[in-house]
Amino acid sequence: MQDVLHALFFVTAFGMVFLAVIAAEYLYVRRAGKTGVYHPRETVANLAAGFSYKIVDGIAIALFIQAFYLWVYQYGLQWNPSASVISIIALIVFIDFCFYLNHYMMHKVRWFWSGHITHHSSEHMNFSTALRQNFTFAFSGSWVLWWIPAALVGFDKNWVLLAIEGNLVYQFFLHTEQVRKLGVLEKVMNTPSHHRVHHGSNPAQIDRNFGGIFIFWDKLFGTFQDEDTAGEIKYGVNHMPAKPYNPFYLQVHGWVELAQDVWRFKDLRILYKHPEWADEHYGDSNQSMAEIPPTEKA
């Protein structure tokens, strides 16, 4: 019960910080006379999706994710280093590498993408976009790639929780167009410039810049794309949701479409193939949904 209360406290505390930053960005762009940065209905949908995601995720961490972590921990190296500058840096870097792997798989495996598509379906880039998450993340299983390697190494679960939450807090501040290039930091750190490319849907932008805090993973594994050479960035996904302002629909439509494709084609390979595989193999099964005029979308 105490872990659940801690999770709810974290959601409340950082939720207030995030809302304050979103409000500040909104007031800034209005005062600067910039238009098209915030869309009211989309922003409300982002906030609602983020709230449901973090509540479910926090409870899931308290109820079963940490329990599974401890079960795996007993079979690992049980390193359990004492707190030091080196061990803390090692944990931060290791957790970010695990996030890179997790994030990469969320883009490459249809099962994982069915939950992650929510985050990429926004047509705008602002701080509220960071909260456009999916409450099904805790049940998709992709968190195993982020949490469990640390259990096998032997990091304390509370340290890991802080490192993961800190990683997510850092990523919140990547979702903006108001911060341009950050000089030498662009070479090592993930920045708003790099993350804008990640949210693009044009060919040069798809499946690029997967890092959380650091960008050198992408440079090391060949998934990096600089904003200067990425072309004009178009936010969103190839198959936009039919109801872009319905928070519940935004979080479940990917799973519904996955189930429909598996049922229609009687092919379980769809579950683990890349997200566009069914369209490429059997034809564009989602074309009718993608072509619904905006005026008919709820």
Side-chain angles (χ1 to χ4, degrees), residues 40-61:
R41 294 181 68 190
E42 184 178 89
T43 300
V44 171
N46 292 347
L47 297 178
F51 179 78
S52 62
Y53 154 74
K54 204 56 195 172
I55 290 295
V56 173
D57 188 63
I59 294 175
I61 289 172

Side-chain angles (χ1 to χ4, degrees), residues 141-178:
S142 68
W143 56 268
V144 170
L145 300 171
W146 200 3
W147 280 79
I148 300 309
L152 293 172
V153 171
F155 286 107
D156 179 84
K157 73 174 178 65
N158 294 320
W159 285 28
V160 172
L161 175 60
L162 289 174
I164 287 176
E165 295 295 355
N167 194 291
L168 290 172
V169 169
Y170 180 90
Q171 290 186 55
F172 170 85
F173 294 97
L174 301 177
H175 294 79
T176 183
E177 293 181 309
Q178 310 316 308

Side-chain angles (χ1 to χ4, degrees), residues 236-298:
V237 291
N238 290 331
H239 298 298
M240 291 297 290
K243 300 178 181 179
Y245 311 127
N246 182 321
F248 181 74
Y249 178 88
L250 287 174
Q251 296 177 86
V252 301
H253 79 93
W255 297 106
V256 172
E257 291 168 11
L258 171 63
Q260 288 174 338
D261 281 354
V262 171
W263 178 261
R264 180 183 301 117
F265 302 121
K266 305 297 188 293
D267 192 340
L268 291 177
R269 292 178 297 174
I270 293 172
L271 296 174
Y272 60 83
K273 291 289 189 177
H274 68 79
E276 300 297 325
W277 183 81
D279 289 347
E280 295 169 357
H281 195 70
Y282 293 106
D284 192 347
S285 61
N286 293 311
Q287 185 175 11
S288 59
M289 287 181 284
E291 293 181 350
I292 294 176
T295 55
E296 295 180 14
K297 295 178 180 179

Side-chain angles (χ1 to χ4, degrees), residues 70-92:
L70 290 174
W71 181 78
V72 172
Y73 180 91
Q74 63 185 319
Y75 299 106
L77 300 177
Q78 298 184 18
W79 179 34
N80 195 22
S82 57
S84 67
V85 173
I86 293 177
S87 63
I88 291 173
I89 292 175
L91 176 61
I92 292 172

